[in-house]
């Protein structure tokens, strides 16, 4: 009698495990069917779809419809496969808005702007990468570049200005061993988290 009970219990347990695994499979397949990419218009409307790279152009697909991404009509887009968020922003020195890759999001936002300048006579690709930061969606400030143009001192002062309401973060930046983009990104990430913590503390008081 006890053996039959144990046998039936094991069968029921196996059935539950199989049912659970089948449910997980259905959920996984359903999640894969959902589009992970989106495109936001300047009016704030969000369209979900899928990005595909067609030669040198990124194309947004909604079913069979192809939508061209334009800075005049769209303000941001998100590529789910690598969690990349791009925003159309007024980059200093550029007449029109440009697509900038979001490195850090928060009270201070850090963006990367890449420009390909073709190739030289040896076939090597010429390019420039610049990093800009903005606080509370104000104008972009140039904080780092890999080109030889501009003032390193002015970029440091711009970053100190962004950190001005957190003297501890300003001090940490002034004492940093280098001025690399890794250092800048880490400082901004830390600043943003401290800003969140201050807001939470203020809300509780």
């Amino acid at each position: 009698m006890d053996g039959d009970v144990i046998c039936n219990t094991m069968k029921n347990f196996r059935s539950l495990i199989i049912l659970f695994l089948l449910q997980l499979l259905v959920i996984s397949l359903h999640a894969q069917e959902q589009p992970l990419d989106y495109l936001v218009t300047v009016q704030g409307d969000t369209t979900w779809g899928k990005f595909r790279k067609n030669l040198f152009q990124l194309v947004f697909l909604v079913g069979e419809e192809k939508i061209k991404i334009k800075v005049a009509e769209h303000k941001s887009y998100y590529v789910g496969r690598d969690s990349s968020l791009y925003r159309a922003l007024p980059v200093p020195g550029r007449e029109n808005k440009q697509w900038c890759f979001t490195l850090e999001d928060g009270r201070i936002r850090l963006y990367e702007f890449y420009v390909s300048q073709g190739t030289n006579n040896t076939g090597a690709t010429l390019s420039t990468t610049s990093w800009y930061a903005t606080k509370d969606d104000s104008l972009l400030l140039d904080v780092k570049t890999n080109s030889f143009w501009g003032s390193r001192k002015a970029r440091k002062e711009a970053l100190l200005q962004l950190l001005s309401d957190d003297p501890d973060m300003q001090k940490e930046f002034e004492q940093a061993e280098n001025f690399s983009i890794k250092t800048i990104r880490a400082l901004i990430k830390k600043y943003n988290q401290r800003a969140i913590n201050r807001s939470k503390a203020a809300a509780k008081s």
Side-chain angles (χ1 to χ4, degrees), residues 115-154:
V115 178
S116 176
Q117 299 169 331
T119 58
N120 60 18
N121 54 9
T122 66
T125 301
L126 301 174
S127 64
T128 300
T129 304
S130 299
W131 292 269
Y132 297 94
T134 177
K135 187 175 183 178
D136 300 328
D137 290 330
S138 57
L139 293 176
L140 293 180
L141 296 177
D142 180 8
V143 295
K144 182 72 177 174
T145 184
N146 65 356
S147 76
F148 296 104
W149 300 104
S151 168
R152 178 184 176 93
K153 181 181 178 181

Short mmCIF file of all heavy atoms in Angstrom, two decimals, residues 115-154:
data_model
loop_
_atom_site.label_atom_id
_atom_site.label_comp_id
_atom_site.label_asym_id
_atom_site.label_seq_id
_atom_site.Cartn_x
_atom_site.Cartn_y
_atom_site.Cartn_z
N VAL A 115 32.26 59.99 -35.14
CA VAL A 115 32.24 60.52 -36.50
C VAL A 115 33.31 59.83 -37.33
O VAL A 115 34.50 59.85 -36.97
CB VAL A 115 32.49 62.04 -36.53
CG1 VAL A 115 32.51 62.54 -37.96
CG2 VAL A 115 31.43 62.78 -35.73
N SER A 116 32.90 59.19 -38.41
CA SER A 116 33.85 58.58 -39.34
C SER A 116 34.26 59.62 -40.37
O SER A 116 33.41 60.30 -40.96
CB SER A 116 33.23 57.37 -40.03
OG SER A 116 34.12 56.84 -40.99
N GLN A 117 35.55 59.75 -40.59
CA GLN A 117 36.06 60.75 -41.53
C GLN A 117 36.69 60.11 -42.77
O GLN A 117 37.55 60.72 -43.41
CB GLN A 117 37.07 61.65 -40.80
CG GLN A 117 36.44 62.40 -39.63
CD GLN A 117 37.46 63.08 -38.75
OE1 GLN A 117 38.59 62.62 -38.64
NE2 GLN A 117 37.07 64.17 -38.11
N GLY A 118 36.28 58.89 -43.07
CA GLY A 118 36.81 58.20 -44.25
C GLY A 118 38.10 57.47 -43.94
O GLY A 118 38.36 57.07 -42.81
N THR A 119 38.93 57.32 -44.95
CA THR A 119 40.20 56.60 -44.80
C THR A 119 41.35 57.46 -45.32
O THR A 119 41.16 58.36 -46.14
CB THR A 119 40.17 55.27 -45.57
OG1 THR A 119 39.90 55.53 -46.96
CG2 THR A 119 39.10 54.34 -45.02
N ASN A 120 42.55 57.15 -44.83
CA ASN A 120 43.73 57.86 -45.33
C ASN A 120 44.35 57.09 -46.50
O ASN A 120 43.78 56.10 -46.97
CB ASN A 120 44.74 58.08 -44.20
CG ASN A 120 45.22 56.76 -43.60
OD1 ASN A 120 45.07 55.69 -44.20
ND2 ASN A 120 45.81 56.83 -42.42
N ASN A 121 45.52 57.52 -46.97
CA ASN A 121 46.11 56.89 -48.16
C ASN A 121 46.63 55.47 -47.90
O ASN A 121 47.00 54.77 -48.84
CB ASN A 121 47.24 57.77 -48.72
CG ASN A 121 48.27 58.11 -47.65
OD1 ASN A 121 48.22 57.57 -46.55
ND2 ASN A 121 49.19 59.02 -47.97
N THR A 122 46.66 55.05 -46.65
CA THR A 122 47.07 53.67 -46.33
C THR A 122 45.86 52.75 -46.16
O THR A 122 46.02 51.56 -45.94
CB THR A 122 47.91 53.65 -45.04
OG1 THR A 122 47.10 54.03 -43.93
CG2 THR A 122 49.11 54.57 -45.15
N GLY A 123 44.67 53.34 -46.22
CA GLY A 123 43.46 52.54 -46.07
C GLY A 123 42.94 52.49 -44.64
O GLY A 123 41.90 51.88 -44.38
N ALA A 124 43.65 53.12 -43.71
CA ALA A 124 43.21 53.12 -42.32
C ALA A 124 42.02 54.06 -42.13
O ALA A 124 41.95 55.13 -42.75
CB ALA A 124 44.36 53.55 -41.40
N THR A 125 41.06 53.66 -41.30
CA THR A 125 39.87 54.46 -41.04
C THR A 125 40.21 55.63 -40.13
O THR A 125 40.86 55.46 -39.09
CB THR A 125 38.77 53.61 -40.39
OG1 THR A 125 38.44 52.52 -41.26
CG2 THR A 125 37.52 54.44 -40.14
N LEU A 126 39.76 56.81 -40.53
CA LEU A 126 39.95 58.00 -39.71
C LEU A 126 38.63 58.32 -39.01
O LEU A 126 37.59 58.38 -39.65
CB LEU A 126 40.37 59.19 -40.57
CG LEU A 126 41.67 59.02 -41.36
CD1 LEU A 126 41.89 60.22 -42.28
CD2 LEU A 126 42.86 58.86 -40.41
N SER A 127 38.68 58.49 -37.70
CA SER A 127 37.45 58.76 -36.96
C SER A 127 37.76 59.59 -35.72
O SER A 127 38.91 59.66 -35.26
CB SER A 127 36.78 57.45 -36.55
OG SER A 127 37.62 56.73 -35.66
N THR A 128 36.71 60.19 -35.21
CA THR A 128 36.81 60.98 -33.97
C THR A 128 35.68 60.57 -33.04
O THR A 128 34.52 60.44 -33.48
CB THR A 128 36.70 62.49 -34.26
OG1 THR A 128 37.76 62.88 -35.13
CG2 THR A 128 36.79 63.29 -32.97
N THR A 129 36.00 60.35 -31.80
CA THR A 129 34.99 60.06 -30.78
C THR A 129 35.03 61.16 -29.73
O THR A 129 36.10 61.48 -29.21
CB THR A 129 35.21 58.70 -30.12
OG1 THR A 129 35.24 57.68 -31.12
CG2 THR A 129 34.10 58.39 -29.13
N SER A 130 33.88 61.74 -29.48
CA SER A 130 33.77 62.77 -28.46
C SER A 130 32.73 62.36 -27.44
O SER A 130 31.77 61.64 -27.77
CB SER A 130 33.38 64.12 -29.08
OG SER A 130 34.35 64.55 -30.00
N TRP A 131 32.91 62.82 -26.21
CA TRP A 131 31.97 62.50 -25.15
C TRP A 131 31.41 63.81 -24.59
O TRP A 131 32.16 64.75 -24.28
CB TRP A 131 32.65 61.70 -24.05
CG TRP A 131 33.03 60.33 -24.50
CD1 TRP A 131 32.27 59.19 -24.40
CD2 TRP A 131 34.25 59.91 -25.12
NE1 TRP A 131 32.94 58.10 -24.94
CE2 TRP A 131 34.18 58.53 -25.39
CE3 TRP A 131 35.43 60.59 -25.48
CZ2 TRP A 131 35.20 57.81 -25.97
CZ3 TRP A 131 36.45 59.89 -26.08
CH2 TRP A 131 36.33 58.50 -26.31
N TYR A 132 30.09 63.84 -24.48
CA TYR A 132 29.40 65.03 -23.99
C TYR A 132 28.55 64.66 -22.77
O TYR A 132 28.05 63.53 -22.66
CB TYR A 132 28.50 65.61 -25.08
CG TYR A 132 29.24 66.08 -26.30
CD1 TYR A 132 29.42 65.24 -27.40
CD2 TYR A 132 29.78 67.37 -26.37
CE1 TYR A 132 30.10 65.67 -28.53
CE2 TYR A 132 30.47 67.81 -27.48
CZ TYR A 132 30.62 66.95 -28.57
OH TYR A 132 31.31 67.38 -29.67
N ALA A 133 28.37 65.63 -21.90
CA ALA A 133 27.54 65.41 -20.72
C ALA A 133 26.55 66.56 -20.58
O ALA A 133 26.81 67.69 -21.01
CB ALA A 133 28.40 65.31 -19.47
N THR A 134 25.41 66.26 -19.98
CA THR A 134 24.38 67.27 -19.73
C THR A 134 23.73 66.99 -18.39
O THR A 134 23.60 65.83 -17.98
CB THR A 134 23.31 67.25 -20.85
OG1 THR A 134 22.29 68.19 -20.52
CG2 THR A 134 22.69 65.88 -21.01
N LYS A 135 23.36 68.04 -17.72
CA LYS A 135 22.73 67.91 -16.41
C LYS A 135 21.32 68.50 -16.49
O LYS A 135 21.14 69.63 -16.94
CB LYS A 135 23.56 68.66 -15.36
CG LYS A 135 23.11 68.46 -13.93
CD LYS A 135 24.12 69.16 -13.03
CE LYS A 135 23.81 68.96 -11.57
NZ LYS A 135 24.83 69.61 -10.72
N ASP A 136 20.35 67.70 -16.05
CA ASP A 136 18.94 68.13 -16.09
C ASP A 136 18.53 68.57 -17.49
O ASP A 136 17.80 69.55 -17.67
CB ASP A 136 18.70 69.26 -15.08
CG ASP A 136 19.01 68.83 -13.65
OD1 ASP A 136 18.81 67.64 -13.33
OD2 ASP A 136 19.46 69.68 -12.86
N ASP A 137 19.05 67.87 -18.51
CA ASP A 137 18.70 68.13 -19.92
C ASP A 137 19.07 69.53 -20.39
O ASP A 137 18.40 70.11 -21.25
CB ASP A 137 17.20 67.87 -20.15
CG ASP A 137 16.86 66.40 -20.08
OD1 ASP A 137 17.72 65.57 -20.43
OD2 ASP A 137 15.73 66.08 -19.68
N SER A 138 20.14 70.08 -19.84
CA SER A 138 20.63 71.38 -20.31
C SER A 138 21.50 71.14 -21.55
O SER A 138 21.55 70.03 -22.09
CB SER A 138 21.44 72.07 -19.21
OG SER A 138 22.52 71.24 -18.80
N LEU A 139 22.18 72.18 -22.02
CA LEU A 139 23.03 72.04 -23.20
C LEU A 139 24.16 71.05 -22.97
O LEU A 139 24.66 70.91 -21.85
CB LEU A 139 23.61 73.41 -23.58
CG LEU A 139 22.62 74.47 -24.08
CD1 LEU A 139 23.35 75.78 -24.32
CD2 LEU A 139 21.92 74.01 -25.36
N LEU A 140 24.56 70.36 -24.04
CA LEU A 140 25.65 69.41 -23.94
C LEU A 140 26.97 70.14 -23.69
O LEU A 140 27.25 71.17 -24.29
CB LEU A 140 25.78 68.59 -25.23
CG LEU A 140 24.65 67.62 -25.57
CD1 LEU A 140 24.96 66.92 -26.88
CD2 LEU A 140 24.44 66.60 -24.47
N LEU A 141 27.79 69.56 -22.79
CA LEU A 141 29.11 70.09 -22.51
C LEU A 141 30.15 69.08 -22.97
O LEU A 141 30.03 67.89 -22.71
CB LEU A 141 29.28 70.38 -21.02
CG LEU A 141 28.38 71.46 -20.41
CD1 LEU A 141 28.63 71.56 -18.91
CD2 LEU A 141 28.62 72.80 -21.09
N ASP A 142 31.16 69.57 -23.65
CA ASP A 142 32.26 68.72 -24.13
C ASP A 142 33.15 68.35 -22.95
O ASP A 142 33.77 69.22 -22.33
CB ASP A 142 33.03 69.50 -25.19
CG ASP A 142 34.20 68.72 -25.76
OD1 ASP A 142 34.33 67.52 -25.45
OD2 ASP A 142 35.00 69.32 -26.50
N VAL A 143 33.22 67.04 -22.62
CA VAL A 143 34.02 66.64 -21.46
C VAL A 143 35.20 65.74 -21.83
O VAL A 143 36.10 65.52 -21.02
CB VAL A 143 33.16 65.92 -20.39
CG1 VAL A 143 32.14 66.88 -19.80
CG2 VAL A 143 32.47 64.68 -20.98
N LYS A 144 35.22 65.23 -23.09
CA LYS A 144 36.33 64.34 -23.47
C LYS A 144 36.31 64.12 -24.98
O LYS A 144 35.24 64.06 -25.60
CB LYS A 144 36.19 62.99 -22.74
CG LYS A 144 37.31 61.99 -23.01
CD LYS A 144 38.61 62.39 -22.36
CE LYS A 144 39.68 61.33 -22.58
NZ LYS A 144 41.00 61.77 -22.06
N THR A 145 37.48 63.98 -25.59
CA THR A 145 37.58 63.65 -27.01
C THR A 145 38.91 62.95 -27.26
O THR A 145 39.85 63.10 -26.48
CB THR A 145 37.47 64.91 -27.89
OG1 THR A 145 37.47 64.53 -29.27
CG2 THR A 145 38.63 65.86 -27.63
N ASN A 146 38.95 62.19 -28.35
CA ASN A 146 40.23 61.56 -28.71
C ASN A 146 40.95 62.34 -29.81
O ASN A 146 41.96 61.89 -30.35
CB ASN A 146 40.02 60.10 -29.14
CG ASN A 146 39.19 59.97 -30.42
OD1 ASN A 146 38.70 60.96 -30.97
ND2 ASN A 146 39.02 58.74 -30.88
N SER A 147 40.41 63.52 -30.15
CA SER A 147 41.08 64.37 -31.13
C SER A 147 42.06 65.31 -30.42
O SER A 147 42.08 65.39 -29.19
CB SER A 147 40.06 65.20 -31.92
OG SER A 147 39.57 66.27 -31.13
N PHE A 148 42.85 66.01 -31.21
CA PHE A 148 43.84 66.92 -30.63
C PHE A 148 43.30 68.34 -30.45
O PHE A 148 43.99 69.22 -29.94
CB PHE A 148 45.09 66.96 -31.51
CG PHE A 148 45.80 65.64 -31.60
CD1 PHE A 148 45.69 64.85 -32.73
CD2 PHE A 148 46.56 65.18 -30.53
CE1 PHE A 148 46.34 63.62 -32.81
CE2 PHE A 148 47.21 63.95 -30.61
CZ PHE A 148 47.11 63.17 -31.74
N TRP A 149 42.06 68.57 -30.91
CA TRP A 149 41.50 69.92 -30.87
C TRP A 149 40.86 70.20 -29.52
O TRP A 149 40.38 69.30 -28.83
CB TRP A 149 40.48 70.09 -31.98
CG TRP A 149 41.05 69.88 -33.34
CD1 TRP A 149 40.89 68.77 -34.13
CD2 TRP A 149 41.90 70.76 -34.08
NE1 TRP A 149 41.57 68.90 -35.31
CE2 TRP A 149 42.22 70.13 -35.30
CE3 TRP A 149 42.43 72.03 -33.82
CZ2 TRP A 149 43.01 70.71 -36.27
CZ3 TRP A 149 43.23 72.62 -34.79
CH2 TRP A 149 43.51 71.96 -35.99
N GLY A 150 40.82 71.46 -29.14
CA GLY A 150 40.14 71.86 -27.92
C GLY A 150 41.05 71.88 -26.72
O GLY A 150 42.21 71.45 -26.77
N SER A 151 40.51 72.37 -25.62
CA SER A 151 41.27 72.54 -24.38
C SER A 151 40.93 71.47 -23.36
O SER A 151 39.76 71.31 -22.97
CB SER A 151 40.98 73.93 -23.79
OG SER A 151 41.46 74.03 -22.48
N ARG A 152 41.93 70.74 -22.95
CA ARG A 152 41.75 69.72 -21.92
C ARG A 152 41.30 70.37 -20.60
O ARG A 152 40.44 69.86 -19.88
CB ARG A 152 43.07 68.97 -21.73
CG ARG A 152 43.06 67.89 -20.65
CD ARG A 152 44.46 67.31 -20.51
NE ARG A 152 44.56 66.35 -19.43
CZ ARG A 152 44.42 65.04 -19.58
NH1 ARG A 152 44.16 64.54 -20.76
NH2 ARG A 152 44.55 64.23 -18.55
N LYS A 153 41.88 71.55 -20.32
CA LYS A 153 41.54 72.27 -19.10
C LYS A 153 40.06 72.68 -19.10
O LYS A 153 39.36 72.55 -18.09
CB LYS A 153 42.42 73.51 -18.96
CG LYS A 153 42.16 74.32 -17.70
CD LYS A 153 43.06 75.55 -17.63
CE LYS A 153 42.75 76.38 -16.39
NZ LYS A 153 43.59 77.60 -16.31
N ALA A 154 39.58 73.17 -20.26
CA ALA A 154 38.18 73.58 -20.37
C ALA A 154 37.24 72.40 -20.16
O ALA A 154 36.17 72.54 -19.54
CB ALA A 154 37.94 74.22 -21.73
#
